[in-house]
PDB file of all heavy atoms in Angstrom:
ATOM      1  N   TRP T  22      98.536  96.596  93.023  1.00 97.00           N
ATOM      2  CA  TRP T  22      98.191  96.722  91.608  1.00 97.00           C
ATOM      3  C   TRP T  22      97.931  98.167  91.209  1.00 97.00           C
ATOM      4  O   TRP T  22      98.264  98.574  90.094  1.00 97.00           O
ATOM      5  CB  TRP T  22      97.003  95.822  91.260  1.00 97.00           C
ATOM      6  CG  TRP T  22      97.405  94.390  91.269  1.00 97.00           C
ATOM      7  CD1 TRP T  22      97.012  93.430  92.158  1.00 97.00           C
ATOM      8  CD2 TRP T  22      98.324  93.749  90.370  1.00 97.00           C
ATOM      9  NE1 TRP T  22      97.623  92.226  91.858  1.00 97.00           N
ATOM     10  CE2 TRP T  22      98.432  92.407  90.770  1.00 97.00           C
ATOM     11  CE3 TRP T  22      99.060  94.178  89.269  1.00 97.00           C
ATOM     12  CZ2 TRP T  22      99.241  91.490  90.109  1.00 97.00           C
ATOM     13  CZ3 TRP T  22      99.866  93.266  88.613  1.00 97.00           C
ATOM     14  CH2 TRP T  22      99.952  91.945  89.035  1.00 97.00           C
ATOM     15  N   LYS T  23      97.374  98.965  92.120  1.00 98.00           N
ATOM     16  CA  LYS T  23      97.184 100.389  91.815  1.00 98.00           C
ATOM     17  C   LYS T  23      98.524 101.082  91.585  1.00 98.00           C
ATOM     18  O   LYS T  23      98.621 102.000  90.769  1.00 98.00           O
ATOM     19  CB  LYS T  23      96.439 101.091  92.958  1.00 98.00           C
ATOM     20  CG  LYS T  23      94.951 100.907  92.923  1.00 98.00           C
ATOM     21  CD  LYS T  23      94.298 101.749  94.023  1.00 98.00           C
ATOM     22  CE  LYS T  23      92.799 101.703  93.940  1.00 98.00           C
ATOM     23  NZ  LYS T  23      92.158 102.578  94.947  1.00 98.00           N
ATOM     24  N   SER T  24      99.558 100.647  92.281  1.00 96.00           N
ATOM     25  CA  SER T  24     100.874 101.282  92.159  1.00 96.00           C
ATOM     26  C   SER T  24     101.505 101.033  90.792  1.00 96.00           C
ATOM     27  O   SER T  24     102.462 101.717  90.420  1.00 96.00           O
ATOM     28  CB  SER T  24     101.817 100.794  93.256  1.00 96.00           C
ATOM     29  OG  SER T  24     102.267  99.467  93.002  1.00 96.00           O
ATOM     30  N   LEU T  25     100.983 100.080  90.035  1.00 96.00           N
ATOM     31  CA  LEU T  25     101.536  99.777  88.712  1.00 96.00           C
ATOM     32  C   LEU T  25     100.792 100.478  87.580  1.00 96.00           C
ATOM     33  O   LEU T  25     101.069 100.248  86.406  1.00 96.00           O
ATOM     34  CB  LEU T  25     101.535  98.262  88.485  1.00 96.00           C
ATOM     35  CG  LEU T  25     102.444  97.492  89.440  1.00 96.00           C
ATOM     36  CD1 LEU T  25     102.320  95.997  89.203  1.00 96.00           C
ATOM     37  CD2 LEU T  25     103.883  97.932  89.294  1.00 96.00           C
ATOM     38  N   ARG T  26      99.866 101.368  87.922  1.00 97.00           N
ATOM     39  CA  ARG T  26      99.135 102.124  86.904  1.00 97.00           C
ATOM     40  C   ARG T  26     100.092 103.030  86.141  1.00 97.00           C
ATOM     41  O   ARG T  26     100.925 103.714  86.728  1.00 97.00           O
ATOM     42  CB  ARG T  26      98.046 102.959  87.572  1.00 97.00           C
ATOM     43  CG  ARG T  26      97.170 103.698  86.591  1.00 97.00           C
ATOM     44  CD  ARG T  26      96.033 104.383  87.315  1.00 97.00           C
ATOM     45  NE  ARG T  26      95.166 105.055  86.382  1.00 97.00           N
ATOM     46  CZ  ARG T  26      93.931 105.424  86.626  1.00 97.00           C
ATOM     47  NH1 ARG T  26      93.408 105.183  87.815  1.00 97.00           N
ATOM     48  NH2 ARG T  26      93.211 106.040  85.728  1.00 97.00           N
ATOM     49  N   ASP T  27      99.994 103.005  84.832  1.00 96.00           N
ATOM     50  CA  ASP T  27     100.834 103.847  83.981  1.00 96.00           C
ATOM     51  C   ASP T  27     100.014 105.059  83.548  1.00 96.00           C
ATOM     52  O   ASP T  27      99.143 104.966  82.686  1.00 96.00           O
ATOM     53  CB  ASP T  27     101.304 103.051  82.755  1.00 96.00           C
ATOM     54  CG  ASP T  27     102.297 103.818  81.897  1.00 96.00           C
ATOM     55  OD1 ASP T  27     102.395 105.057  82.046  1.00 96.00           O
ATOM     56  OD2 ASP T  27     102.972 103.190  81.072  1.00 96.00           O
ATOM     57  N   TYR T  28     100.303 106.192  84.164  1.00 94.00           N
ATOM     58  CA  TYR T  28      99.563 107.419  83.882  1.00 94.00           C
ATOM     59  C   TYR T  28      99.978 108.049  82.554  1.00 94.00           C
ATOM     60  O   TYR T  28      99.201 108.764  81.949  1.00 94.00           O
ATOM     61  CB  TYR T  28      99.752 108.429  85.017  1.00 94.00           C
ATOM     62  CG  TYR T  28      99.088 108.010  86.303  1.00 94.00           C
ATOM     63  CD1 TYR T  28      99.788 107.297  87.270  1.00 94.00           C
ATOM     64  CD2 TYR T  28      97.755 108.300  86.541  1.00 94.00           C
ATOM     65  CE1 TYR T  28      99.176 106.905  88.446  1.00 94.00           C
ATOM     66  CE2 TYR T  28      97.129 107.908  87.714  1.00 94.00           C
ATOM     67  CZ  TYR T  28      97.846 107.215  88.660  1.00 94.00           C
ATOM     68  OH  TYR T  28      97.225 106.824  89.815  1.00 94.00           O
ATOM     69  N   GLU T  29     101.192 107.782  82.119  1.00 92.00           N
ATOM     70  CA  GLU T  29     101.701 108.370  80.877  1.00 92.00           C
ATOM     71  C   GLU T  29     101.182 107.673  79.630  1.00 92.00           C
ATOM     72  O   GLU T  29     100.773 108.317  78.672  1.00 92.00           O
ATOM     73  CB  GLU T  29     103.233 108.322  80.857  1.00 92.00           C
ATOM     74  CG  GLU T  29     103.898 109.331  81.731  1.00 92.00           C
ATOM     75  CD  GLU T  29     105.414 109.217  81.620  1.00 92.00           C
ATOM     76  OE1 GLU T  29     105.924 108.998  80.504  1.00 92.00           O
ATOM     77  OE2 GLU T  29     106.068 109.321  82.670  1.00 92.00           O
ATOM     78  N   ASN T  30     101.250 106.350  79.633  1.00 92.00           N
ATOM     79  CA  ASN T  30     100.962 105.584  78.415  1.00 92.00           C
ATOM     80  C   ASN T  30      99.695 104.743  78.486  1.00 92.00           C
ATOM     81  O   ASN T  30      99.371 104.041  77.545  1.00 92.00           O
ATOM     82  CB  ASN T  30     102.149 104.664  78.098  1.00 92.00           C
ATOM     83  CG  ASN T  30     103.430 105.459  77.980  1.00 92.00           C
ATOM     84  OD1 ASN T  30     103.515 106.391  77.197  1.00 92.00           O
ATOM     85  ND2 ASN T  30     104.420 105.121  78.783  1.00 92.00           N
ATOM     86  N   GLY T  31      99.006 104.784  79.604  1.00 94.00           N
ATOM     87  CA  GLY T  31      97.796 103.985  79.767  1.00 94.00           C
ATOM     88  C   GLY T  31      98.113 102.579  80.231  1.00 94.00           C
ATOM     89  O   GLY T  31      99.256 102.125  80.197  1.00 94.00           O
ATOM     90  N   GLY T  32      97.097 101.886  80.650  1.00 96.00           N
ATOM     91  CA  GLY T  32      97.262 100.512  81.109  1.00 96.00           C
ATOM     92  C   GLY T  32      98.097 100.432  82.372  1.00 96.00           C
ATOM     93  O   GLY T  32      98.155 101.368  83.164  1.00 96.00           O
ATOM     94  N   TYR T  33      98.740  99.300  82.514  1.00 97.00           N
ATOM     95  CA  TYR T  33      99.559  99.025  83.699  1.00 97.00           C
ATOM     96  C   TYR T  33     100.959  98.618  83.263  1.00 97.00           C
ATOM     97  O   TYR T  33     101.142  98.024  82.205  1.00 97.00           O
ATOM     98  CB  TYR T  33      98.893  97.935  84.554  1.00 97.00           C
ATOM     99  CG  TYR T  33      97.597  98.448  85.121  1.00 97.00           C
ATOM    100  CD1 TYR T  33      96.410  98.351  84.409  1.00 97.00           C
ATOM    101  CD2 TYR T  33      97.589  99.128  86.328  1.00 97.00           C
ATOM    102  CE1 TYR T  33      95.236  98.894  84.898  1.00 97.00           C
ATOM    103  CE2 TYR T  33      96.416  99.674  86.824  1.00 97.00           C
ATOM    104  CZ  TYR T  33      95.246  99.549  86.105  1.00 97.00           C
ATOM    105  OH  TYR T  33      94.095 100.106  86.590  1.00 97.00           O
ATOM    106  N   ILE T  34     101.931  98.968  84.078  1.00 95.00           N
ATOM    107  CA  ILE T  34     103.331  98.714  83.752  1.00 95.00           C
ATOM    108  C   ILE T  34     103.522  97.227  83.453  1.00 95.00           C
ATOM    109  O   ILE T  34     103.024  96.367  84.169  1.00 95.00           O
ATOM    110  CB  ILE T  34     104.241  99.194  84.897  1.00 95.00           C
ATOM    111  CG1 ILE T  34     104.120 100.726  84.990  1.00 95.00           C
ATOM    112  CG2 ILE T  34     105.674  98.753  84.696  1.00 95.00           C
ATOM    113  CD1 ILE T  34     104.799 101.339  86.183  1.00 95.00           C
TER     114      ILE T  34
END
Side-chain angles (χ1 to χ4, degrees):
W22 289 112
K23 279 185 174 183
S24 74
L25 296 177
R26 184 174 182 161
D27 186 343
Y28 291 93
E29 285 181 40
N30 304 304
Y33 294 87
I34 294 172

